[in-house]
Amino acid sequence: MNLHEYQAKELLKKFNVPVQDGIPVDTAEKAEEAYKQLKVQYGNSFAVVKAQIHAGGRGKGKIQGTEQRGVAVGKSAEDIKTIAGNIIGGTLVTIQTGPAGKLVSKVLVAQDVYYPGPNPVKEFYLSILLDRGKGQNVIMYSTEGGMDIEQVAHDTPDKIFKEWVHPAGGLLGFQARKIAFNLGLSGEAFKNCVRFVTNLYKAYVELDCSMLEINPLFKTSDDKIIAVDCKMNLDDNALMRHTDLEALRDVSEEDPTEVEAHKYNLNFIKLDGNVGCMVNGAGLAMATMDMIKLSGGEPANFLDVGGTANAQTVEAGFRIILKDPKVKAILINIFGGIVRCDRVAQGVIDAYNSIGDIKVPIIVRLQGTNAEEAKKLIEESGLKVQSAILLSEAASLVNKAVSA
Amino acid sequence: MSVLVNKNSRIIVQGFTGTEGTFHATQMIEYGTNVVGGVTPGKGGQKHLDLPVFNTVADAVKTTGADVSIIFVPPAFAADAIMEAAEAGIGLIICITEGIPVQDMVKAKLYLAGTKSRLIGPNCPGVITADECKVGIMPGFIFKKGKIGIVSKSGTLTYEAADQVAKAGLGISTAIGIGGDPIIGTPTKDAVELFMNDDETDGIVMIGEIGGGMEAEAARWIKENGTKPVVGFIAGQTAPAGRRMGHAGAIVGGADDTAAAKMKIMRECGITVVDSPADIGKTMAEVIAKNTLKKPAKV
């Protein structure tokens, strides 16, 4: 589950991780109020307005139809109100959102961290994630902050450092110090960085994050170390023990069809093609999508109905897939193991009858337990459903359907 | 000899008296698997499916001499169940449970590294040695006895492959579902190695999916050490980047874990890679018939 920047920062504060302070608001008027509050608190007339969406590249992205950037600095209450007014309710298009962009309903009005002081400011990069190969968490960091880290890794791999954390010992003191030294810090900034990294790792583990990225990690002119931005991703499997965090889910950021599918316990991902599919098992579902492509079609979705394909789940699946007008055919591919194919076939027939007139061809491929009985059921039902037993037969039926 | 499990394996079921445990233990026993008991904390001393129930894995091992455990414990407690089995000296731990938090598996993986136990899974269909022993949730009848080994991250795709192999006139020695999570006990390479060393296996089907570097690691090992033909397939050629495709581990992060990148590496390492999942069985039959290992000469 993805979190917004303002949500992630609130969580980090609880772990004593210093962050760029800010106030999330949903109207231009509230943005103005927030600005005034920050000005009193920090005595700084600059502030930043940051669009809150689940995608990166906000600073370079623009609100559709305008020149307004998704992150912008203002130096007066008037400024902030105007910027917030431009952003809230607009659609922000960034390199990560794709051309459709994302609707912005909230902005974070945040303190300006570039305030003057005795020492120069510095931007770094730091993230914590799982190294699958080693089965350990790794802290990845760089002196090159505020930039696209994949570009840094590609162009100057020597500027990326990695620190693996032993699961039993946790992040050790010498490791936190090594990170601060490698970032070139000394004095107060060094001490602050050690504390920052130690507390951040604690937050990563205790919140069951699957990814935590601080970019930029910022050294202020008075040597504080703070998180200016934060991208936090929580492990969906661990949400069962963080019921409070489940409340942070922003369903408006998710595809509405995917949210609906979730209600029926269907694992659904919307894609852009013309052949819908309904499959049991994630691996077979991906393989079926691949086969659709090789047969001349394009998969319209990923849909894993899991181990219980019955009339109810099949009907829900049908309805969700049929919402997409681009779908020219639907392929149902069930390998019956514990699930009996004849029951699935009956489910398909019932769902078909319940929905009524389905305009696109349905190809049903049932294999495994009672596959022959299932084929017979479908053929005798009189429905306009094409049935196959071998995967290769299903492939040629898909080919026929898309070239028709 | 067979891989991992055979008719002499002594199996206990952790989470024995739960719905899943009961259902699949019954199916396993019907298949002829030597299930010797089960564990459900608090129900020790009872009988379930005519077999003894124990409070702890250690008790079960002491009384029954079990050497294999299959786990159906809910996700919140599954990592604990894995470590308990390892502590009790179980040699092979097969964890079916789906949805275990990653940080739990980080701990369990480290814990196992200090023991002699091997973990298969989690989030897997289990292991089956055809006509001898089924320790998992797969439909047994699909796995006709033969000399092809299957290594797969995915459940139903394993059944698909086994079915195609049988229809192509071959059969299965053992099939290992290694699981679709980011952290698993036995990676592709280790499973392939088991088959390369097995007298009863002539060829290997290796099924992977997007995400991670396990297939590339296995392919490089095969290039150096392979002695038997391998047919490979990677699911997810059409999967978009950044989306988790059902399995927690099936997500394209960087350029190296796309299906195309993995297939390229596998081909370069001498594996016969099929583009379509419909071609797994017939390609295996062709490769076996030619009986030529497409292994490039070492330079």
Side-chain angles (χ1 to χ4, degrees), chain A residues 130 132 135 137 166-168 204 208-209 235-238 240-241 258 267 269 271 280-284 286-287 289-291 293-294 299 302 335 337-338 365 367-369 390-392, chain B residues 23 76 99-104 106 110 137 139 141-142 154 156-157 159-160 163 167 182-183 209 211-212 233-238 240 243-247 249-250 275-278:
Chain A
L130 176 74
R132 288 168 65 147
N137 297 312
H166 194 280
Y204 172 85
D208 274 300
C209 297
D235 178 1
D236 290 308
N237 289 347
M240 60 186 172
R241 57 186 174 212
E258 291 175 21
N267 203 334
I269 292 172
L271 300 168
N280 66 333
L284 190 59
M286 280 189 277
M289 287 159 54
D290 296 345
M291 197 196 73
K293 172 115 179 168
L294 289 167
F302 166 91
F335 202 108
I338 306 303
R365 186 267 179 157
Q367 175 63 290
T369 316
L390 294 178
L391 197 52
S392 49
Chain B
F23 179 77
I100 304 177
V102 176
Q103 296 304 329
D104 290 9
V106 168
L110 170 77
I137 58 173
F141 75 95
I142 296 163
S154 145
T156 41
L157 203 43
Y159 315 159
E160 177 70 48
D163 188 59
K167 288 206 165 76
I183 295 188
E209 57 193 34
F233 173 73
I234 301 289
Q237 298 165 53
T238 50
R243 297 300 306 265
R244 167 177 154 168
M245 306 300 282
H247 288 156
D275 289 316
S276 169

Side-chain angles (χ1 to χ4, degrees), chain A residues 300-371:
Chain A
N301 66 280
F302 166 91
L303 175 52
D304 172 13
V305 295
T308 51
N310 55 36
Q312 208 192 351
T313 50
V314 172
E315 184 177 335
F318 266 139
R319 289 192 187 277
I320 287 163
I321 291 171
L322 287 168
K323 278 188 184 169
D324 182 350
K326 274 194 291 190
V327 168
K328 284 170 79 179
I330 298 177
L331 168 63
I332 299 178
N333 184 14
I334 304 287
F335 202 108
I338 306 303
V339 217
R340 281 169 38 193
C341 287
D342 51 339
R343 287 213 186 137
V344 178
Q346 193 58 50
V348 171
I349 295 166
D350 292 349
Y352 199 108
N353 286 330
S354 154
I355 293 177
D357 191 18
I358 296 180
K359 298 271 192 303
V360 301
I362 310 280
I363 300 152
V364 180
R365 186 267 179 157
L366 294 163
Q367 175 63 290
T369 316
N370 294 2

Side-chain angles (χ1 to χ4, degrees), chain B residues 9-285:
Chain B
S9 301
R10 300 176 68 78
I11 290 113
I12 55 162
V13 180
Q14 286 177 260
F16 189 32
T17 57
T19 317
E20 296 281 303
T22 303
F23 179 77
H24 290 293
T26 309
Q27 301 264 321
M28 282 159 54
I29 293 164
E30 276 175 18
Y31 191 78
T33 307
N34 185 21
V35 179
V36 296
V39 178
T40 298
K43 294 197 175 170
Q46 299 180 11
K47 286 258 175 184
H48 185 61
L49 308 179
D50 287 332
L51 292 166
V53 183
F54 301 91
N55 280 324
T56 67
V57 180
D59 285 352
V61 169
K62 204 164 119 194
T63 310
T64 66
D67 51 9
V68 177
S69 175
I70 180 165
I71 297 177
F72 292 101
V73 170
F77 315 105
D80 184 66
I82 291 169
M83 292 186 273
E84 184 186 354
E87 184 60 31
I90 293 281
L92 180 67
I93 305 164
I94 298 174
C95 185
I96 306 299
T97 309
E98 177 179 1
I100 304 177
V102 176
Q103 296 304 329
D104 290 9
M105 279 311 300
V106 168
K107 279 193 209 114
K109 175 115 182 169
L110 170 77
Y111 191 94
L112 286 167
T115 70
K116 280 178 278 179
S117 304
R118 172 189 289 286
L119 172 68
I120 302 283
N123 190 10
C124 77
V127 179
I128 184 168
T129 293
D131 292 351
E132 288 193 43
C133 181
K134 166 180 127 143
V135 193
I137 58 173
M138 61 287 273
F141 75 95
I142 296 163
F143 298 83
K144 304 270 183 297
K145 185 84 187 163
K147 306 201 100 183
I148 303 300
I150 300 181
V151 182
S152 170
K153 273 186 181 174
S154 145
T156 41
L157 203 43
T158 308
Y159 315 159
E160 177 70 48
D163 188 59
Q164 285 185 26
V165 166
K167 288 206 165 76
L170 302 166
I172 307 302
S173 52
T174 298
I176 309 174
I178 58 170
D181 273 3
I183 295 188
I184 55 173
T186 299
T188 314
K189 189 216 98 187
D190 291 14
V192 166
E193 194 173 346
L194 289 170
F195 283 122
M196 288 289 181
N197 295 326
D198 175 34
D199 296 340
E200 293 179 6
T201 300
D202 290 345
I204 302 165
V205 174
M206 174 177 142
I207 298 171
E209 57 193 34
I210 51 166
M214 289 197 322
E215 293 85 358
E217 181 201 30
R220 292 192 184 99
W221 185 89
I222 289 166
K223 186 177 177 182
E224 290 302 314
N225 308 286
T227 51
K228 297 170 187 175
V230 181
V231 170
F233 173 73
I234 301 289
Q237 298 165 53
T238 50
R243 297 300 306 265
R244 167 177 154 168
M245 306 300 282
H247 288 156
I251 179 165
V252 173
D256 295 337
D257 53 10
T258 63
K262 292 187 186 202
M263 289 162 83
K264 180 163 180 280
I265 293 170
M266 285 160 66
R267 284 198 172 105
E268 284 165 2
C269 292
I271 296 172
T272 308
V273 179
V274 294
D275 289 316
S276 169
D279 295 339
I280 296 170
K282 76 170 195 217
T283 308
M284 190 77 238

Side-chain angles (χ1 to χ4, degrees), chain A residues 67-124:
Chain A
E67 286 301 303
Q68 179 64 55
R69 306 264 175 193
V71 175
V73 180
K75 52 181 190 293
S76 69
E78 196 64 11
D79 258 11
I80 297 295
K81 193 178 169 185
T82 310
I83 295 166
N86 289 343
I87 296 177
I88 296 170
T91 299
L92 183 58
V93 181
T94 79
I95 194 157
Q96 285 185 18
T97 62
K102 286 208 162 187
L103 181 71
V104 188
S105 51
K106 271 198 178 86
V107 295
L108 181 67
V109 181
Q111 71 170 128
D112 167 37
V113 292
Y114 288 85
Y115 52 84
N119 297 310
V121 299
K122 271 185 189 145
E123 291 188 355
F124 309 112

Side-chain angles (χ1 to χ4, degrees), chain A residues 143-376:
Chain A
T143 50
E144 307 301 297
M147 302 162 56
D148 176 9
I149 198 65
E150 293 202 345
Q151 197 64 43
V152 177
H154 183 262
D155 298 345
T156 47
D158 52 309
K159 285 187 174 160
I160 305 252
F161 300 96
K162 285 180 179 174
E163 194 67 32
W164 283 271
V165 183
H166 194 280
L171 180 71
L172 301 170
F174 77 89
Q175 293 183 294
R177 291 197 297 276
K178 188 162 131 198
I179 291 170
F181 281 128
N182 280 337
L183 291 177
L185 298 170
S186 59
E188 276 306 304
F190 172 85
K191 284 187 209 159
N192 287 331
C193 182
V194 169
R195 259 196 300 273
F196 182 99
V197 173
T198 307
N199 291 342
L200 189 76
Y201 187 77
K202 204 165 166 238
Y204 172 85
V205 171
E206 289 186 18
L207 294 169
D208 274 300
C209 297
S210 48
M211 204 269 301
L212 181 50
E213 183 182 67
I214 310 292
N215 190 22
L217 171 69
F218 196 75
K219 186 190 86 72
T220 62
S221 57
D222 54 355
D223 287 341
K224 290 195 180 81
I225 299 290
I226 62 172
V228 171
D229 192 7
C230 177
K231 204 164 161 194
M232 190 186 279
N233 208 310
L234 302 177
D235 178 1
D236 290 308
N237 289 347
L239 285 174
M240 60 186 172
R241 57 186 174 212
H242 301 286
T243 41
D244 51 327
L245 298 182
E246 179 66 47
L248 299 177
R249 184 183 293 276
D250 182 353
V251 288
S252 72
E253 286 280 341
E254 293 166 24
D255 184 290
T257 325
E258 291 175 21
V259 174
E260 194 193 329
H262 195 72
K263 280 189 221 151
Y264 295 97
N265 273 326
L266 299 174
N267 203 334
F268 178 88
I269 292 172
K270 179 85 198 77
L271 300 168
D272 214 23
N274 55 5
V275 180
C277 57
M278 213 187 304
V279 189
N280 66 333
L284 190 59
M286 280 189 277
T288 304
M289 287 159 54
D290 296 345
M291 197 196 73
I292 288 171
K293 172 115 179 168
L294 289 167
S295 309
E298 284 286 340
N301 66 280
F302 166 91
L303 175 52
D304 172 13
V305 295
T308 51
N310 55 36
Q312 208 192 351
T313 50
V314 172
E315 184 177 335
F318 266 139
R319 289 192 187 277
I320 287 163
I321 291 171
L322 287 168
K323 278 188 184 169
D324 182 350
K326 274 194 291 190
V327 168
K328 284 170 79 179
I330 298 177
L331 168 63
I332 299 178
N333 184 14
I334 304 287
F335 202 108
I338 306 303
V339 217
R340 281 169 38 193
C341 287
D342 51 339
R343 287 213 186 137
V344 178
Q346 193 58 50
V348 171
I349 295 166
D350 292 349
Y352 199 108
N353 286 330
S354 154
I355 293 177
D357 191 18
I358 296 180
K359 298 271 192 303
V360 301
I362 310 280
I363 300 152
V364 180
R365 186 267 179 157
L366 294 163
Q367 175 63 290
T369 316
N370 294 2
E372 293 291 343
E373 289 87 336
K375 191 164 195 245
K376 209 168 146 220

